[in-house]
Amino acid sequence: MRLVTYRRAGEVRHGRLTDDDRVVEFGDGDLEGYLTGRTDDAGGLEVALAEVELLAPLLRPGKLLAAAANYQDHVTETGGEPLDKSRLSPRLFLKPPTSIVGPGATIALPAVSTEVDWEAELAVVIGRRVRDISEADALDAVAGYMTSNDVSARSVDYGFPRDTDDKAVWFFDWLAGKWLDGFAPLGPWLVTADEVPDPQALSVHLDVNGVTKQTGSTKDMIFSVAELVAHASRLMTLEPGDVILTGTPSGVGAATGEFLTAGDVMTVAVGQLGQLRNTVA
């Protein structure tokens, strides 16, 4: 199924999208209600997709995790050495729910950075509460998948001099660059896991103003979806509606010094999960 969150008559609701682009309504609120069992897929009112405003499938997930440096070609394109997986664990960080926007939303360039970049990514949505799940069982905990864009500020300027040679300053600037409002577009819908038999066999594509910037495949992840879910569950309890962004392939703007400017349009496509388009302002 393609599951959607949308606004109709001024209210946030969720449901499923039919093959002929009609929305079958399940209930109020976003898809968390469906994932936690408060609503079901019995369905009720049916409306045309064109009559509703699509929103991010999950508006305020309990956790929005993201994997850094999870494609070798992305690591090396920005000057890093190839990573030895045998001596490495997944590098996970958190993005705030206020970074989430949906398809078609405008992303405002922040005052603290002039170097805002794109990162096309597969997003994983957790479907049940798990802790310390094995890699072999990890995909059983996945409810579905989404297209996402880990928008990132590559530098941060607070308007006063700082010791930017300090590694700690660099790290926290890198992290802060992930947190800005609108920097986690998700959507346009959630595709249930039964329709994605192999999450490691999905193309990853991003263009800016119709020009291809990123072309890759989830098969090239350093840590697979199953490995990421299993690792995250060692650190914390994963709950229905939690989201994990799985890293980006090469082709980011930082590698060439090209960054987003007002009016740019980013379009992300991951497999057959739907196109996610956002304009920069």
Side-chain angles (χ1 to χ4, degrees):
M1 286 190 295
R2 291 180 296 170
L3 302 175
V4 290
T5 295
Y6 53 94
R7 184 176 286 110
R8 181 180 66 78
E11 300 292 333
V12 175
R13 305 174 189 276
H14 66 277
R16 66 175 173 86
L17 191 60
T18 67
D19 291 340
D20 58 350
D21 285 344
R22 295 187 64 80
V23 176
V24 179
E25 195 161 285
F26 291 171
D28 296 337
D30 71 1
L31 282 172
E32 184 184 5
Y34 177 77
L35 296 174
T36 56
R38 296 198 303 273
T39 60
D40 57 37
D41 58 4
L45 179 71
E46 186 173 319
V47 296
L49 177 61
E51 295 177 13
V52 304
E53 176 193 358
L54 283 180
L55 305 174
L58 291 151
L59 299 175
R60 296 189 67 85
K63 290 180 279 297
L64 176 55
L65 291 161
N70 200 32
Y71 287 75
Q72 292 283 16
D73 60 357
H74 174 53
V75 173
T76 57
E77 74 168 339
T78 50
E81 294 295 323
L83 299 176
D84 179 359
K85 182 179 178 179
S86 69
R87 301 176 60 82
L88 188 68
S89 60
R91 302 173 180 183
L92 297 177
F93 61 95
L94 285 160
K95 290 173 76 88
T98 46
S99 65
I100 294 173
V101 292
T106 298
I107 299 171
L109 292 170
V112 296
S113 182
T114 58
E115 298 181 337
V116 177
D117 203 350
W118 53 83
E119 291 191 7
E121 307 200 8
L122 168 68
V124 178
V125 180
I126 301 300
R128 62 184 177 90
R129 195 172 191 270
V130 292
R131 182 79 166 90
D132 284 322
I133 195 168
S134 69
E135 181 185 334
D137 295 331
L139 293 185
D140 293 338
V142 174
Y145 302 91
M146 302 182 293
T147 301
S148 66
N149 187 351
D150 179 18
V151 181
S152 305
R154 303 301 187 189
S155 64
V156 179
D157 182 359
Y158 294 116
F160 56 88
R162 293 180 301 140
D163 181 9
T164 53
D165 292 331
D166 184 326
K167 288 184 178 180
V169 172
W170 178 90
F171 172 75
F172 282 105
D173 278 4
W174 175 87
L175 196 56
K178 301 287 189 176
W179 292 344
L180 296 156
D181 289 358
F183 275 28
L186 303 175
W189 36 70
L190 183 160
V191 177
T192 52
D194 60 295
E195 296 195 13
V196 185
D198 184 0
Q200 305 309 142
L202 302 175
S203 59
V204 181
H205 180 92
L206 179 143
D207 68 52
V208 178
N209 303 326
V211 178
T212 296
K213 301 297 182 182
Q214 291 185 280
T215 299
S217 172
T218 56
K219 70 179 175 61
D220 295 321
M221 287 181 187
I222 297 172
F223 293 98
S224 68
V225 170
E227 289 172 312
L228 292 173
V229 171
H231 179 76
S233 78
R234 294 184 66 186
L235 302 172
M236 65 197 81
T237 299
L238 297 177
E239 300 172 303
D242 286 350
V243 177
I244 304 174
L245 309 187
T246 57
T248 196
S250 63
V252 299
T256 60
E258 178 184 4
F259 298 105
L260 294 166
T261 59
D264 285 343
V265 179
M266 297 179 287
T267 305
V268 186
V270 178
Q272 301 301 311
L273 303 182
Q275 287 193 342
L276 176 63
R277 184 174 290 108
N278 296 93
T279 300
V280 179

